[in-house]
Amino acid sequence: MTEQFDPRYGIPPRRSEDPAAKRYSRLVFEQQRKRNAEIPVRPSNISWFEKILMEEAGEGDARSPIGYFCNMVPQELILAMGAKPVRLGCGNPALVQPGDEVFSGEICPVAKASFASFLDEKSLASRCDLLIVPTSCDAKKKLGEVLADFAPTFVLNLPPEQDANRYGASMASELERMTRFISKQLGLKLKRRALLKEIEAAQTRTAIVRSLQDARSEKPAALSIRDLYVILQASFAGVPLVDWNREADKVLQEVNSYQVDRKRMRPRLVLTGAPIIWPNFKLLNLIEECGADVVADTLCTGIQSCFDPVVIDEKSKSAIYRALAQRYIFASPCPCFISQATRLSRILDLVKEHRADGVLHYGLRLCQLFDMEVYRLGAIMRQKKIPFTTIRTDYSLEDTEQLRVRLEAFLETVWEEL
Amino acid sequence: MISAGIDSGSTTTKVVILEDHAVRVSLVVPTGDFPQKTARDIYQRALEEASLKEGDVTVIATTGYGRRLIGFGDIVVTEIKACATGVLFDVKTDETIHTIIDVGGQDTKVMAIDDEGEIEDFSMNDKCAAGTGRFIEMLALKLGLSYEECANLALQSEKMIPMNATCAVFAESEVVGLVARGESKADIAAAAHQAIASRIRSMVRRVGQRGSYCFVGGGAKNPALVKALEENLGHSVFVPPNAQVLAAIGAAVGGRQRFEKIQKRENHE
């Protein structure tokens, strides 16, 4: 296997203790947890999921942590090898500024905050034994190169188009290459039977998520979108999927038995656009505070992230790799792929399926991929007479009130259409 | 029916008492440090001027940045809705208004109105002061002028100097540079008005540029900005005489409409 990074140009990893940033980052966690505590109806076991996101769980886990970015890396592969897959895309606003001290201000907050978590030697990110970074945007491509100094890093090369006929075989071999890299670096073996078991657990997760989605669509009051995101994102923190499935199933039972006592009059929205990552729930807070329900999404950190199952029709290793690529790469909602038609169809389907009253697009400042797609998305929504607006912002809270006005005004127009 | 609209803005607080289809009283005061208290006081004053008691007012609607801070309001209306409603209710022009431009102290909004008089689309400036009244206020300060002086001086300029900055902070340093270059205050003031007008033009184009135009908010009281905006849009803009209180009027109207809707529904039941 050829080396992705030339060791001649390796430099020592940059570390810098910043106790103030650490305190602030903790505060942000606590603040969002408090804000979530005000949600009127919550699952009784929500703290199980919250503790995972607060990094309060997982002590004494002997598995080797593997940090990965984006939703294109099959967790099943990592779990089957006996390692702990930890999704690293960082949503903590407190870490943007420390990231700014190293990178330029013109880099997106996800990349900056994610990188900043490596500056602290004791962070979860820094404790990872290996990193996997897909080439899902320019920032990620280069982040992979930067992080190669911090831990052995595998850059997962993605195809430009979601065309499985053209790229199916090469993506399957790319995933196989990733497995070999993990084996070589950490001395772990991939057993087919273990992989099938993990795939089955992930299929169960998908089934639960789909049921939750359907139940919520019928009665959004039963489960806040913020709690659902906490639940979903907890499954990316490396907990064994069987444990997550057990707890999420309890949530599903509660949601199913939730009795609706009054008619829900809130506008129903489909949320699309950039990832919303715990604890940066700024937009979700606003949506719910302004009196609207998110009934469906296309977010890679939201419901969509777990919506597609891995479909196994043949049990050979190469067939399994192809099936994983099919789900994680060719069914991904990421705008890094051509063409936008996939995402547009998905959004229109969701609007219809979940009787949505409008579509809300979240643009993360400095993420060109989502931003560029708004051009066609807005026009198509107008054409289809679906109320649409886009909220462009970053991790900072200073524009909250302006965003509130925009959102409320949008909801007023949605109401008028009703 | 008597309804009240209170527009608690970042710079000024406006109150309007509406009786059926006529504005009985309208007042404007600086918001100051205590928006709630200012709103309470100005509302009391408006009641006195209209010789009304609190009980005479059927519905109080609030809008503006402080819309949720005002504890005694019945209904909250966003500035965007309030502004459009106010313009469509109160402004009489020969041509149908299709674009409303509202330049406030803290933000600028552009609303596109369809043929039915509904908001079709709107755009708002980003979180910074670019394209707002504050931008000119800050530059006036830098030039050692009052806001009014800055506007009047801008009207006298006959020279066009390009000003690139749309960010108020960067614009300040650009002004320092222009002063150092020996440009006159009048020309710099005119350039600042041009810069903000150009920014507003982009917002107008974003929602689909369509006349006729109605220009409201505190910014509409600035003749230099009106002139710069007309040049940028290549079209005259209509400035209603009560441009600053239209959102308060719109809140009062919107509040009344909602009240009537609720009453109608209750009568049905």
Side-chain angles (χ1 to χ4, degrees):
Chain A
M1 183 158 59
T2 52
E3 289 274 354
Q4 281 180 311
F5 306 102
D6 191 329
R8 280 182 302 162
Y9 301 111
I11 52 175
R14 183 173 173 136
R15 310 273 189 195
S16 63
E17 279 290 301
D18 188 347
K22 222 168 166 171
R23 273 199 306 276
Y24 179 32
S25 134
R26 205 66 216 159
L27 183 72
V28 173
F29 271 139
E30 291 297 343
Q31 272 176 343
Q32 188 56 44
R33 168 136 81 172
K34 269 194 203 134
R35 203 115 179 222
N36 283 7
E38 290 161 15
I39 297 168
V41 180
R42 307 193 77 195
S44 56
N45 61 342
I46 192 72
S47 66
W48 187 87
F49 300 96
E50 256 177 2
K51 274 186 187 150
I52 294 170
L53 291 187
M54 299 286 288
E55 296 171 21
E56 287 168 1
E59 287 291 318
D61 196 332
R63 294 176 299 163
S64 193
I66 293 184
Y68 71 97
F69 287 86
C70 299
N71 202 34
M72 293 122 175
V73 177
Q75 278 173 287
E76 294 95 321
L77 277 175
I78 300 170
L79 286 163
M81 295 176 90
K84 176 182 176 174
V86 185
R87 191 164 167 184
L88 292 178
C90 178
N92 198 322
L95 293 179
V96 175
Q97 206 182 320
D100 252 344
E101 292 165 15
V102 182
F103 289 158
S104 94
E106 308 300 310
I107 289 167
C108 93
V110 180
K112 275 192 295 209
S114 303
F115 173 72
S117 53
F118 284 89
L119 293 173
D120 172 9
E121 218 162 346
K122 294 182 200 76
S123 73
L124 187 63
S126 295
R127 292 200 305 269
C128 288
D129 295 326
L130 188 146
L131 302 170
I132 302 167
V133 191
T135 56
S136 51
C137 66
D138 289 352
K140 293 273 164 54
K141 272 183 200 170
K142 293 296 129 183
L143 188 63
E145 291 205 274
V146 169
L147 293 178
D149 290 320
F150 290 72
T153 301
F154 182 82
V155 173
L156 181 73
N157 286 293
L158 298 175
E161 278 179 57
Q162 280 173 315
D163 181 347
N165 288 330
R166 279 175 71 188
Y167 300 108
S170 67
M171 276 328 294
S173 80
E174 185 72 4
L175 290 178
E176 207 179 329
R177 206 161 70 97
M178 182 184 100
T179 312
R180 280 207 307 277
F181 182 81
I182 299 171
S183 286
K184 193 180 144 203
Q185 295 293 335
L186 304 180
L188 298 169
K189 288 263 169 312
L190 177 68
K191 297 217 175 63
R192 204 171 55 102
R193 191 181 283 171
L195 180 55
L196 286 169
K197 214 179 109 205
E198 292 301 339
I199 288 174
E200 204 182 299
Q203 284 166 340
T204 308
R205 172 175 70 182
T206 289
I208 295 173
V209 171
R210 286 186 173 217
S211 305
L212 272 174
Q213 161 81 342
D214 289 343
R216 267 196 89 246
S217 183
E218 286 310 307
K219 36 187 181 183
L223 181 63
S224 152
I225 190 71
R226 286 175 283 178
D227 276 340
L228 182 54
Y229 274 37
V230 165
I231 293 166
L232 290 165
Q233 294 181 14
S235 89
F236 301 133
V239 282
L241 287 179
V242 281
D243 293 347
W244 187 92
N245 288 345
R246 184 192 63 235
E247 296 298 322
D249 195 58
K250 285 183 201 159
V251 176
L252 177 61
Q253 300 315 323
E254 284 183 20
V255 173
N256 278 338
S257 58
Y258 179 83
Q259 296 289 327
V260 179
D261 52 357
R262 38 191 310 119
K263 190 165 167 47
R264 191 77 164 176
M265 312 246 288
R266 298 176 169 223
R268 299 162 65 85
L269 303 179
V270 168
L271 178 63
T272 184
I276 289 179
I277 309 169
W278 167 270
N280 176 30
F281 279 10
K282 169 168 104 171
L283 187 61
L284 300 180
N285 289 336
L286 271 175
I287 294 172
E288 293 200 321
E289 281 167 12
C290 291
D293 288 322
V294 174
V295 291
D297 72 34
T298 65
L299 267 53
C300 65
T301 55
I303 306 159
Q304 184 72 48
S305 66
C306 301
F307 204 77
D308 297 300
V310 174
V311 182
I312 304 282
D313 40 19
E314 208 190 309
K315 291 189 178 168
S316 70
K317 246 189 193 172
S318 63
I320 298 175
Y321 278 122
R322 274 202 305 278
L324 287 170
Q326 194 61 41
R327 182 256 184 254
Y328 281 94
I329 287 132
F330 299 106
S332 159
C334 186
C336 72
F337 298 112
I338 299 163
S339 93
Q340 189 181 356
T342 321
R343 286 172 291 286
L344 287 170
S345 308
R346 180 71 182 144
I347 292 165
L348 292 174
D349 285 349
L350 287 174
V351 167
K352 207 168 151 197
E353 204 177 311
H354 297 285
R355 305 183 314 279
D357 305 309
V359 171
L360 179 66
H361 179 270
Y362 165 48
L364 183 62
R365 192 162 280 145
L366 298 167
C367 178
Q368 295 95 328
L369 294 167
F370 286 103
D371 244 10
M372 291 293 287
E373 287 202 346
V374 173
Y375 170 72
R376 190 173 304 277
L377 178 59
I380 297 293
M381 292 298 128
R382 261 192 300 281
Q383 219 177 63
K384 305 265 177 203
K385 297 207 168 15
I386 299 167
F388 170 80
T389 199
T390 175
I391 298 271
R392 194 189 303 109
T393 182
D394 51 26
Y395 282 11
S396 68
L397 291 173
E398 59 195 354
D399 58 352
T400 306
E401 289 311 308
Q402 272 96 338
L403 297 184
R404 195 189 301 277
V405 177
R406 277 182 223 197
L407 204 51
E408 283 182 3
F410 172 62
L411 294 176
E412 276 172 349
T413 58
V414 170
W415 268 124
E416 257 144 46
E417 304 275 323
L418 293 184
Chain B
M1 190 205 292
I2 295 172
S3 59
I6 303 169
D7 176 5
S8 173
S10 64
T11 312
T12 56
T13 300
K14 286 74 74 173
V15 64
V16 159
I17 307 278
L18 192 74
E19 184 167 6
D20 299 322
H21 288 278
V23 174
R24 268 184 61 170
V25 174
S26 75
L27 295 172
V28 181
V29 295
T31 298
D33 295 334
F34 303 100
Q36 299 100 314
K37 189 175 178 305
T38 307
R40 183 90 234 166
D41 292 349
I42 185 181
Y43 177 60
Q44 288 301 343
R45 234 179 73 202
L47 287 180
E48 278 163 30
E49 283 192 22
S51 316
L52 292 168
K53 294 187 299 297
E54 291 218 12
D56 299 332
V57 180
T58 315
V59 54
I60 305 169
T62 59
T63 188
Y65 269 86
R67 66 193 178 284
R68 295 188 183 279
L69 295 174
I70 303 168
F72 58 95
D74 302 307
I75 283 168
V76 175
V77 183
T78 65
E79 294 96 294
I80 291 169
K81 169 95 180 153
C83 182
T85 309
V87 167
L88 297 171
F89 173 82
D90 201 60
V91 177
K92 305 283 173 275
T93 49
D94 298 334
E95 289 170 71
T96 317
I97 293 166
H98 281 298
T99 304
I100 301 169
I101 301 157
D102 175 8
V103 176
Q106 183 164 274
D107 49 35
T108 291
K109 306 163 201 89
V110 175
M111 287 143 270
I113 308 296
D114 65 16
D115 293 332
E116 275 81 51
E118 300 283 352
I119 300 171
E120 195 173 42
D121 200 357
F122 63 89
S123 73
M124 237 174 117
N125 63 303
D126 283 339
K127 60 186 172 185
C128 62
T132 73
R134 183 81 83 235
F135 182 82
I136 294 173
E137 260 176 40
M138 283 175 71
L139 293 187
L141 204 67
K142 200 82 206 167
L143 291 171
L145 302 169
S146 73
Y147 184 82
E148 285 75 18
E149 286 168 345
C150 179
N152 290 331
L153 212 52
L155 286 172
Q156 293 165 21
S157 159
E158 280 170 10
K159 185 176 161 192
M160 185 85 166
I161 26 177
M163 190 151 146
N164 305 310
T166 46
C167 159
V169 178
F170 284 130
E172 263 196 53
S173 42
E174 198 170 351
V175 165
V176 173
L178 292 172
V179 170
R181 236 168 60 191
E183 300 289 356
S184 77
K185 282 187 181 183
D187 293 338
I188 299 173
H193 284 81
Q194 282 295 336
I196 156 173
S198 145
R199 183 90 177 186
I200 297 168
R201 181 193 62 204
S202 286
M203 290 171 67
V204 170
R205 292 169 61 88
R206 185 174 271 270
V207 297
Q209 182 165 9
R210 194 171 167 212
S212 65
Y213 302 94
C214 183
F215 184 14
V216 303
K221 291 200 323 186
N222 176 343
L225 189 56
V226 175
K227 180 170 166 269
L229 196 55
E230 287 183 331
E231 284 168 14
N232 266 277
L233 293 174
H235 198 289
S236 65
V237 300
F238 179 73
V239 180
N242 53 353
Q244 212 179 355
V245 295
L246 280 168
I249 294 177
V253 174
R256 192 180 67 196
Q257 286 168 349
R258 226 178 285 180
F259 178 83
E260 282 166 350
K261 245 187 211 169
I262 293 169
Q263 216 176 26
K264 208 165 135 191
R265 202 170 61 201
E266 281 174 355
N267 288 342
H268 258 286
E269 278 166 4

